Amino acid sequence: MRVIARDGEHEVEIQRSRFLCTVARVFDVDDAYAVISRVRKAGPNANHHCFAMRIGDPETGELTARSNDDGEPSGTAGVPMLEVLTRRELTDVVAIVSRWFGGIKLGAGGLVRAYSGVLAETLDIVGELRRVRHRELLLALPHDRAGRLEHQLRNSPYRLQEVEYGADVTFTVAVTEDAVADFKTWLAEHTGTTVDVIDAGPRDLYLP
């Protein structure tokens, strides 16, 4: 799944109307509406606060997609914004475009271009990442064997997330779900023995 790299804002002026786009990463519908509410409160004198959201469930693969024109002619604001998010295959995102009317009507086509255009520009500015589901695996080795394994992990295709020093050295490694079996084979080959691996559950990483 693709997500925005960071939250952000971008403003353009078209035919004397101000269009301020706000995008934010969210994890559920409640988060999205909280961002929409915050934007409304920040710009109470705006004529419209149109929005679109796409939120994916990594467990089920289900996708929630919603949009709202907030008083603009039907299909001229929220829907084209949602189409931009859909074309870019973005998820976990809410986009709000606030408009301050400048006195010149843009027509249906002009509104579609304005709302979709300012959102596309904003997405270009904030950038994109991939949300990739991993399993978080824990393994422990004695101190006298841990240094070599740490070096090997850092030069492997697997992602070493944390090293904790205690009675043993505990490594936290993030491995894509389809590579867990390969990782266990790699681990046995590089340690020359069987190392207990504890699956600590899913973890999403955001990657370029």
Side-chain angles (χ1 to χ4, degrees):
M1 293 182 174
R2 300 198 66 81
V3 299
I4 58 174
R6 61 178 177 86
D7 297 353
E9 292 183 345
H10 175 58
E11 182 176 327
V12 298
E13 182 176 319
I14 301 173
Q15 294 293 316
R16 298 182 183 174
S17 284
R18 286 177 57 208
F19 292 85
L20 174 63
C21 180
T22 302
V23 294
R25 190 188 297 174
V26 293
F27 297 97
D28 55 38
V29 172
D30 289 341
D31 280 350
Y33 280 112
V35 175
I36 295 166
S37 177
R38 187 182 74 232
V39 170
R40 289 183 182 276
K41 290 178 181 178
N45 60 337
N47 299 93
H48 309 278
H49 295 286
C50 308
F51 70 79
M53 68 177 76
R54 293 182 90 235
I55 302 167
D57 186 332
E59 301 293 341
T60 65
E62 294 181 359
L63 182 72
T64 299
R66 298 181 186 178
S67 65
N68 189 287
D69 295 312
D70 195 35
E72 292 282 32
S74 180
T76 63
V79 169
M81 290 168 61
L82 183 57
E83 289 175 350
V84 172
L85 299 179
T86 302
R87 283 198 303 271
R88 298 199 181 206
E89 300 180 339
L90 288 169
T91 188
D92 297 351
V93 61
V94 61
I96 308 100
V97 176
S98 305
R99 181 192 182 192
W100 287 262
F101 181 56
I104 299 175
K105 293 185 177 180
L106 301 181
L111 289 172
V112 169
R113 288 189 294 273
Y115 280 98
S116 61
V118 68
L119 174 54
E121 290 178 11
T122 307
L123 295 174
D124 289 341
I125 291 170
V126 301
E128 299 178 10
L129 296 172
R130 294 177 297 124
R131 187 183 78 179
V132 182
R133 173 53 57 94
H134 287 67
R135 304 301 299 182
E136 194 169 73
L137 306 180
L138 308 179
L139 49 136
L141 270 79
H143 286 260
D144 60 350
R145 295 170 53 202
R148 180 182 177 189
L149 181 60
E150 180 177 350
H151 175 75
Q152 292 169 330
L153 281 168
R154 294 191 185 279
N155 290 279
S156 77
Y158 308 108
R159 299 181 182 277
L160 179 59
Q161 301 295 302
E162 185 178 353
V163 181
E164 183 178 347
Y165 297 91
D168 288 323
V169 180
T170 302
F171 299 100
T172 302
V173 185
V175 179
T176 55
E177 294 188 319
D178 61 353
V180 172
D182 290 340
F183 171 73
K184 291 180 178 179
T185 300
W186 177 93
L187 183 63
E189 291 174 349
H190 284 75
T191 59
T193 185
T194 299
V195 177
D196 290 335
V197 177
I198 299 174
D199 188 335
R203 177 172 180 173
D204 288 334
L205 298 185
Y206 297 93
L207 308 174

